[in-house]
Amino acid sequence: DIVMTQSPLSLPVTPGEPASISCRSSQSLLHSNGYNYLNWYLHKPGQSPHVLIYLASNRASGVPDRFSGSGSGTNFTLKISRVEAEDVGVYYCMQTLQTYTFGQGTKLDIK
Amino acid sequence: QVQLQQWGAGLLKPSETLSLTCAVYGGSFSTYYWSWIRLSPGKGLEWIGEINHSGTTKYNPSLKSRVTISVDTSKNQFSLKLMSVTAADTAVYYCAREMAIGLAYFFDQWGQGTLVTVSS
């Protein structure tokens, strides 16, 4: 299995400030077609998870542009340019190159 | 607007079989793959397996020996059975739609989640 490792596991952020979450994979997620098979999800309290980013850097429909994804190979980053109160929750990276696996989650809360 | 509504028993004893069903309302059922995913305190999010309208399945190797996912296209429903449950199977179980955009695959619609507790 491809192991996904996120850091930090806990991320307190002041509203209006930026935030960054790292995700590393035990194997490269870069396919020969040039795409990185890496998604980001947000699980808000009391809701089901929803997708933020697919193929490492593509925002899903309806996702605010303050969210951005970057990276290639085994190192990926999710950035929030200015955190808002509604962004609290647990963020997960997930690879779809092989049997799907998720990172352990990063809990973002407001300072 | 697609909605996924799931149901099933929430309290099981060790060795029993977990059984959940997910109904899909709105949108096309035959165009997509449909997955089961669980969230547990110990393991986080774990993909269990998927099925399409033809009944083609794919399972997580770690659970494959105990899992069966089936489909009922006449009702736009798919189901999960997990045999011989233990406390380690205690989790919130989600059904989800797998969207394919070009070469990208991601879960774009989720059920509301069902808490399944395994306890003697």
Side-chain angles (χ1 to χ4, degrees):
Chain A
D1 283 4
I2 297 178
V3 177
M4 308 298 291
T5 303
Q6 293 181 225
S7 63
L9 299 184
S10 179
L11 183 57
V13 184
T14 300
E17 293 296 305
S20 179
I21 300 170
S22 172
C23 176
R24 294 189 176 185
S25 56
S26 61
Q27 301 175 38
S28 176
L29 302 183
L30 179 61
H31 192 276
S32 56
N33 59 24
Y35 291 95
N36 285 279
Y37 282 72
L38 187 284
N39 302 331
W40 288 97
Y41 293 86
L42 168 58
H43 190 188
K44 293 185 178 182
Q47 299 183 17
S48 298
H50 68 273
V51 64
L52 296 172
I53 303 287
Y54 62 92
L55 290 179
S57 60
N58 294 271
R59 264 190 308 277
S61 176
V63 174
D65 61 7
R66 64 179 181 275
F67 291 93
S68 64
S70 63
S72 184
T74 61
N75 291 297
F76 300 90
T77 301
L78 176 71
K79 291 183 179 178
I80 310 173
S81 59
R82 293 174 303 279
V83 171
E84 298 186 5
E86 65 180 25
D87 299 335
V88 299
V90 183
Y91 291 78
Y92 296 93
C93 59
M94 171 198 165
Q95 64 81 20
T96 58
L97 187 66
Q98 297 177 10
T99 300
Y100 304 158
T101 51
F102 293 86
Q104 66 269 60
T106 295
K107 185 175 183 180
L108 184 150
D109 58 18
I110 299 297
K111 280 184 182 176
Chain B
Q1 180 74 7
V2 174
Q3 289 190 14
L4 280 65
Q5 186 170 347
Q6 56 183 103
W7 64 88
L11 181 59
L12 297 173
K13 291 181 168 46
S15 80
E16 291 184 334
T17 296
L18 179 156
S19 182
L20 298 173
T21 297
C22 183
V24 180
Y25 300 101
S28 170
F29 186 78
S30 61
T31 308
Y32 301 94
Y33 270 81
W34 304 92
S35 277
W36 288 98
I37 299 156
R38 67 182 184 181
L39 174 62
S40 63
K43 282 193 151 186
L45 282 169
E46 183 177 28
W47 177 74
I48 299 169
E50 66 186 17
I51 193 167
N52 70 359
H53 70 287
S54 300
T56 301
T57 55
K58 187 175 179 182
Y59 298 128
N60 188 324
S62 68
L63 296 167
K64 186 175 183 178
S65 63
R66 297 193 292 132
V67 172
T68 301
I69 298 176
S70 58
V71 67
D72 184 343
T73 54
S74 68
K75 297 180 180 178
N76 283 4
Q77 293 177 1
F78 61 106
S79 298
L80 168 69
K81 289 191 186 302
L82 179 66
M83 300 184 300
S84 304
V85 298
T86 70
D89 295 310
T90 293
V92 177
Y93 287 75
Y94 293 96
C95 58
R97 185 177 79 171
E98 187 170 341
M99 169 66 77
I101 297 181
L103 302 170
Y105 298 91
F106 54 88
F107 303 116
D108 73 323
Q109 299 290 337
W110 296 64
Q112 77 274 22
T114 301
L115 174 61
V116 177
T117 303
V118 181
S119 175
S120 55

